[in-house]
Structures are given as C-alpha cells and as structure tokens.
Amino acid sequence: MMSDKMALDVHNHQMTRNIVVGVLALQGAFYEHLKLLQRAFREVAIGQDEGWEFVEVRTAQELERCDALIIPGGESTTVSLVAARSNLLEPLRDFVKVRRRPTWGTCAGLILLAESANRTKKGGQELIGGLDVRVNRNYFGRQTESFEAELALPFLGTKDGRGDVKPFNGIFIRAPVVEKILPVIRGEQASERAIDETVIAPSRSPEGEMNEQVLRPVEVMATLPGRSRTLKKHVAATGLEDEAGDIIAVKQGNVFGTSFHPELTEDARIHVWWLQQVKDMTQHEEKSRFP
Amino acid sequence: MAINDSPSTLVAPSTSTPTQDNAPTPASTSNRDNAPSPHTSTQDTSPNFTVKDGLAKMFKGGVIMDVVNADQARIAEEAGACAVMALERVPADIRAQGGVARMSDPQLVTEIMDAVTIPVMAKARIGHFVECQILQELGVDYIDESEVLTPADNAFHVEKHAFRTPFVCGCRGLGEALRRIDEGAAMIRTKGEAGTGDVVEAVRHMRTVTTEINKARGMSDMELRGYAKELNAPFRLLKETAQLGRLPVVNFAAGGVATPADAALMMQLGCDGVFVGSGIFKSGNAAKRAKAIVQAVTHFKDPAVLAEVSGGLGEAMVGLNVGRMAEGEKMAGRGW
C-alpha cells in the first residue's frame, strides 16, 4: 500500500510528454516494482531527455494513460479473476496484443502473458497472451522448493559490450518456467488447445503499423541449467520438452517475461535495461506516427 | 486520508530503498537458517529468509481464506483468494464447540492441497513444533502458529528459523510482532478476535502497531534501547522497524473481518492484505461474499467499487460482540 504520492512525477520535462510506466496493482508485489523503477530512474538517470512517471494501475482508465506496463508477481489465478471482474482483461489484451505496448511480466505476470499455460486451476484460467510460449505454472513446485540462484543474464551486458556481467540474484517463488517455445503464428495457438489441461489466450489482431511486430521470433533471454533434474521428483509428469536448461526469461517483440522476481532484490539492472527498451520502443512508435 | 498515516506508506523518495540498504534486514537472520537444524532433514536447500519473505510479498493485496474442506477451497480459489488456510473448524465453531483445538488432520490438509493450485497454509498450535514438522513434511506453503488453536506451550513459541516452510504469526502490538519475527516469522498478522465477526480488535491491534512504530521513528539509539525494553522487543529489529517506518515483514489483517467494508478498512489502516476466517463460510452466500471481499481489497481506496460489491451479499455471519465477552473467552490473549 502506498499513498497516491507514489505515482510521483519523477521528472517533468516541459517540452516532451512524460513516458508513463504502469504497474498492474490488482494483487501481488506491485509496490516492490515501483520502488525498483524509481531506483532505476535515479541510479542511471535514464530520463535525461524525457520525463518518466510510474503509476499503479487498477482500472482501464489508469491503463489507458500508460505507455508501458509491468505485470508483477503475485497469485496469477487471483490477478486473472480480479482483472476480469474489474473489466480490465480486454483492455490488457488490447494494450499488449493490439497496440503492442512494451509489457514485462514477472512470475505470475509471465504466466498471464503466455499464449499457452498448463497446471492452472481446475477449469483453467484466463490469459492475456502476447508471448508465443507454453508456461508450466508451478514447474518448480511448492514453497519448500522455492530457491535463489545466481543467474547469468547476457542481455544485461550487451549495451556496453562487456563480456563479464555480474550474476543476477534470481529469486524463484513457486516459480513457473517456459516449457516450450511455440511456433510464431497469427491467431491463437490452436494446436495447444488440444493438449490436456492446457489453456490458451484468445487471438487479437494488432493495429496496422504494429503488424510487423507480430511475427517477431521468441528470443530466449536466459536459462537456468541443471536445476530441473534435481527437482524431478517434485514435478508431475507434464511432458517437459526442454531438458537442456529451464527457460526463465523470454522476449518477443514488445513483450518480456521472467519467471523469477527482480522486484524482490535491490538490483535495478533489469529495470534499467527494460526502461531503455521502453524508451526506444516508445520513441520509435511516436516517430512512426508523427514523422 | 487515513492511508497517509499508515506504517506501510513508504513514499518519501529518501526511504524508497529501505529494506536492504542501510539496516540489518530480515535477510540478515538467514545465517541462522543455514545452520544445521534438528527439525529438518533436508541439507541441500537451506531455507532462506528472502524466499520466505518473498512468498509473503506475493500475497500482498490479496485475501487468504479459511477453508475446512476441498469444496470450500475450490470456492475460495474461484473467488480469487491468493491462498487458503486449511483447518478442521473455523474459529466461530471452535469458539462455539469448545474443547482442545489442534492441527488439522493431515489427510484433510492433503485433500485441500490436491484440490487447488493456489498456496495452502495450515495452522499449528503455539509452541507445538512437532505439528509444524508434520505440516512442513506435508508440503504446506505457510504455517500459521495460531492463537486460534489451543496453545501447546505456556511459555514459548516455536523456533521458526530452522524450518524450510515459512511462518505467519499473530500480534496485538509491535513488541509481540517483533518477538515473533525474531523467532523466525516471515509474515505477521493482527490477532484481532477470531470467530467473532467483530472487527474492533483487529482495528485496535493495527492501530497499536502503527502508533508504536510512529513513536519509535524519531528516537535515538539510546531511546530505542529503552523502548525495546518497554515493548519487550529485540533492539535490532526495533531499530530496523523505526528506520523503515513499518514492520520489516508483510503484515496482514486478521480476526473479525466479515464484510468488504471491514477488509477495505483494514487496508486503509495500512495492512498489506487480509485474512478472512469464519466471515465467509459462516455467511449466507459464501461464494458471492468471498468475491466481494477480494474486489474490496484490490480497490480498497475506491468507494464506488466498495459500494457496488457490498450490495446484495445476503446474511453476514451473525457475530459476537467482543465488548461483551469475558476476558477468558478471548483468543487474542494467547501468545507470549
């Protein structure tokens, strides 16, 4: 909980419009993301040339203001149900899949952004979609199997070209994993529908100028080697299709997902990297609209 | 607005990265977790406070519902509960039926775990570390060392650091909260007065915590040492709390929440989320009330939503007026 002041206007530049980054605040660790966004802003002063605003999102009106969105960790079942009852599910699909705005999901957020997910509650759950992947919802098991692991995240080093990137402390809480990269197709992942106990997101067509983004490939941004073997006994036989290493971060066009929780650390590097992506995508979009 | 007075209002930019920057943190207790434990058999995955506290953070802004069987657990899950608490009798029935209230039958806990995919909590008696060992073995996601059950130890609570499974404990004020955190609790809740449907005690306990934190905020180290003695709280944790301006772990409301308005009240007082015990399944339309309380906790600052979801819920639980109860009938006094 925080006061409305949290949505502070970090840097109000007079010439350019603020870039508004929302954090979906229906349930879960949204406050932790807001803290790290502010830290990312302060530490690296990304916003030299533009203003940034970080806001909580609970309604369609609040989402409407946003240029980019984080869907935080929490209970994905809860977030999905509350989003539907708050008339936010369709606006979210519109935001992610039609207007193709930059969106990042952590843990529960990754589940919601997947086009396909399994091991959901009886009767399934609603997904937003956006990433052509199948997510195994409780892959790493119950809380007693939650863990921390040092992660090699190559994408954090790409900006300045350095090879030696300091490991990132990955915190995995009853964590999901990307079980399969699906073919990149227009429309829904129909072949996934046929699989038992697997739910898929409905298809939405992107806006005209966003159309090219749809057929972008899914990039595997990070894997966790070896962990799954030690956890096998806890994992139900759901036909794991990737034995080489568990996929824990993916990106496809405007959508980014991590199965771990950067928001539970004090390390803002991923937030810094993502805000840079947001800046690039937002400016690119504005240029294409108002050349 | 009340929310601005809340202890969890961490808005000042200067305090925006408080948890691990400048203070000993709950994480600093994790070296104790790494010590070989007489209670646990697992050596490789040493329990870590970050992971315990992490799950509590995932519950924030959510509702945790008491359920006594798999059917109720499914209703709670469909309503949007972020976790369920598995127990044999809801507090209202424990109160009415009397007798010794103990940990639930492991078979029941397992049935509930199998019925839902959301996290499952279960209650153990105060000080009954063997019940906790059993619940950990079952694989529950959180253990509530709870005053709602009959205490098993009249002097000590469970030493909770050694367990891989995280613990939530009740409090009536800051001293009690910090004693529980010192023992290893990764999450705190108000005690309130369970099984009554009367929110007055939960409000009292939350306000007490807030007032005591506010009092500690401006104190020098020497004053904090004196205050730590007064509260019977560890100095290290009191100092950290004073610096943070809130409890160093997630803090939920519990004990007497019966309506969406009660839940939003506790959220506006600064709680991170809400436990609802008897309030749901002792009411007329459990599924509808459960959904309404979930909506109320998300939209706790929006009176329009609160007005909408509060309507047409049917009978609330009948309730007991705490003001007319004898001291001996209250559960909140249990705990040391």
Side-chain angles (χ1 to χ4, degrees):
Chain A
M1 269 55 35
M2 64 215 70
S3 85
D4 302 327
K5 272 189 251 162
M6 190 72 186
L8 81 172
D9 197 345
V10 177
H11 184 114
N12 203 345
H13 198 283
Q14 39 186 332
M15 297 308 288
T16 49
R17 193 181 66 86
N18 282 354
I19 298 177
V20 181
V21 179
V23 180
L24 193 65
L26 299 178
Q27 192 270 323
F30 51 87
Y31 178 53
E32 287 69 15
H33 268 297
L34 284 163
K35 273 202 308 184
L36 268 198
L37 282 172
Q38 291 185 340
R39 172 180 262 228
F41 169 79
R42 271 201 319 277
E43 280 190 353
V44 229
I46 295 168
Q48 291 294 344
D49 307 321
E50 63 278 310
W52 290 82
E53 203 179 329
F54 305 128
V55 300
E56 295 174 20
V57 172
R58 291 187 179 80
T59 65
Q61 293 74 25
E62 287 162 349
L63 181 64
E64 183 62 35
R65 287 192 60 226
C66 296
D67 297 295
L69 182 73
I70 292 178
I71 303 180
E75 180 46 55
S76 71
T77 314
T78 303
V79 175
S80 169
L81 289 167
V82 174
R85 288 174 202 146
S86 305
N87 299 315
L88 208 49
L89 206 48
E90 285 309 316
L92 283 166
R93 287 180 180 136
D94 187 67
F95 188 90
V96 178
K97 296 163 73 162
V98 178
R99 288 185 286 155
R100 307 299 301 190
R101 292 278 163 85
T103 307
W104 172 17
T106 58
C107 193
L110 166 67
I111 297 167
L112 293 166
L113 290 172
E115 286 289 329
S116 168
N118 60 27
R119 305 186 71 205
T120 61
K121 75 173 172 66
K122 289 190 181 74
Q125 73 176 65
E126 293 277 1
L127 302 175
I128 296 164
L131 288 166
D132 284 310
V133 299
R134 185 200 302 150
V135 165
N136 184 325
R137 180 171 164 278
N138 266 160
Y139 175 70
F140 288 111
R142 304 196 76 93
Q143 173 62 12
T144 46
E145 272 83 53
S146 292
F147 62 97
E148 289 179 275
E150 288 202 337
L151 304 177
L153 301 179
F155 62 93
L156 290 181
T158 52
K159 267 288 166 191
D160 55 3
R162 281 180 305 144
D164 52 336
V165 184
K166 202 178 86 187
F168 196 94
N169 183 31
I171 301 172
F172 294 82
I173 309 279
R174 289 172 47 99
V177 81
V178 173
E179 178 176 283
K180 189 180 185 190
I181 306 290
L182 302 173
V184 178
I185 52 170
R186 289 184 194 277
E188 65 172 31
Q189 291 287 353
S191 62
E192 290 288 296
R193 187 193 288 284
I195 303 170
D196 274 353
E197 296 181 3
T198 301
V199 294
I200 63 171
S203 167
R204 295 288 179 271
S205 297
E207 281 175 350
E209 67 265 35
M210 297 286 115
N211 220 341
E212 32 142 341
Q213 282 204 35
V214 181
L215 296 176
R216 297 262 176 91
V218 177
E219 300 170 64
V220 174
M221 304 297 280
T223 57
L224 182 66
R227 183 84 197 182
S228 66
R229 260 163 246 123
T230 65
L231 294 172
K232 272 285 157 18
K233 66 186 163 88
H234 302 293
V235 178
T238 43
L240 303 170
E241 301 193 28
D242 187 82
E243 296 288 336
D246 297 317
I247 301 171
I248 52 167
V250 288
K251 182 175 178 297
Q252 184 179 21
N254 60 316
V255 193
F256 176 51
T258 57
S259 63
F260 55 100
H261 293 282
E263 74 274 23
L264 295 182
T265 71
E266 297 293 311
D267 188 342
R269 283 180 293 160
I270 302 180
H271 287 76
V272 169
W273 172 85
W274 183 73
L275 285 181
Q276 190 62 48
Q277 303 266 316
V278 169
K279 184 178 159 182
D280 294 348
M281 280 188 264
T282 307
Q283 286 175 347
H284 179 260
E285 189 189 331
E286 301 221 329
K287 270 191 203 124
S288 65
R289 276 193 192 172
F290 312 104
Chain B
M1 192 168 163
I3 189 73
N4 288 330
D5 302 321
S6 79
S8 48
T9 305
L10 297 179
V11 291
S14 61
T15 63
S16 61
T17 54
T19 5
Q20 267 124 53
D21 270 356
N22 44 13
T25 71
S28 64
T29 58
S30 62
N31 20 355
R32 250 182 286 178
D33 296 335
N34 294 334
S37 151
H39 297 314
T40 57
S41 56
T42 310
Q43 280 88 39
D44 54 347
T45 53
S46 49
N48 180 309
F49 202 89
T50 306
V51 167
K52 295 175 173 179
D53 173 59
L55 181 57
K57 288 198 165 101
M58 296 308 131
F59 295 143
K60 285 171 73 173
V63 182
I64 300 169
M65 302 181 191
D66 278 1
V67 297
V68 301
N69 57 44
D71 289 343
Q72 288 188 355
R74 285 286 299 124
I75 292 170
E77 185 176 45
E78 288 298 333
C82 66
V84 291
M85 176 78 70
L87 70 178
E88 265 172 2
R89 296 181 284 171
V90 294
D93 289 336
I94 292 173
R95 199 174 274 292
Q97 295 160 8
V100 175
R102 308 180 179 90
M103 174 188 80
S104 297
D105 183 337
Q107 204 176 330
L108 172 89
V109 176
T110 308
E111 279 168 21
I112 290 171
M113 287 168 60
D114 289 343
V116 294
T117 61
I118 56 176
V120 175
M121 298 184 165
K123 286 185 196 288
R125 283 179 269 177
I126 288 172
H128 205 315
F129 49 85
V130 173
E131 286 187 347
C132 301
Q133 291 166 7
I134 292 169
L135 291 173
Q136 173 168 276
E137 186 60 31
L138 295 177
V140 301
D141 296 290
Y142 242 90
I143 297 171
D144 183 2
E145 187 185 16
S146 177
E147 71 284 357
V148 168
L149 306 184
T150 311
D153 190 316
N154 67 354
F156 297 104
H157 285 249
V158 172
E159 284 296 322
K160 294 168 270 284
H161 285 291
F163 287 85
R164 274 175 298 135
T165 308
F167 280 75
V168 56
C169 290
C171 78
R172 285 160 295 175
L174 182 56
E176 200 171 11
L178 296 182
R179 288 196 294 281
R180 298 294 87 81
I181 295 167
D182 195 39
E183 293 156 0
M187 179 176 176
I188 291 293
R189 56 174 173 76
T190 62
K191 283 184 169 173
E193 193 53 48
T196 61
D198 188 345
V199 80
V200 66
E201 292 299 299
V203 170
R204 188 200 310 279
H205 298 157
M206 188 59 201
R207 283 207 188 278
T208 302
V209 169
T210 305
T211 304
E212 289 170 343
I213 291 173
N214 287 341
K215 197 172 161 194
R217 287 184 88 164
M219 287 186 179
S220 68
D221 275 14
M222 194 183 286
E223 289 169 320
L224 281 172
R225 286 190 195 283
Y227 197 37
K229 281 181 199 149
E230 188 187 316
L231 291 175
N232 191 12
F235 167 75
R236 177 184 63 84
L237 285 171
L238 181 62
K239 185 173 177 180
E240 184 189 349
T241 303
Q243 284 171 340
L244 292 172
R246 61 155 292 152
L247 285 180
V249 300
V250 167
N251 180 24
F252 267 46
V257 174
T259 67
D262 289 348
L265 172 69
M266 297 311 299
M267 293 299 288
Q268 288 200 23
L269 287 173
C271 290
D272 294 317
V274 174
F275 284 89
V276 187
S278 321
I280 290 171
F281 290 102
K282 284 285 160 190
S283 73
N285 188 339
K288 194 170 180 191
R289 181 168 295 266
K291 281 183 202 172
I293 293 176
V294 169
Q295 286 299 105
V297 167
T298 293
H299 300 284
F300 70 96
K301 288 185 277 192
D302 187 339
V305 174
L306 299 177
E308 186 194 325
V309 302
S310 296
L313 295 181
E315 293 281 311
M317 69 177 285
V318 176
L320 290 166
N321 191 321
V322 177
R324 298 210 192 101
M325 286 166 66
E327 276 309 306
E329 294 173 46
K330 293 183 185 172
M331 293 169 170
R334 302 162 169 179
W336 345 110

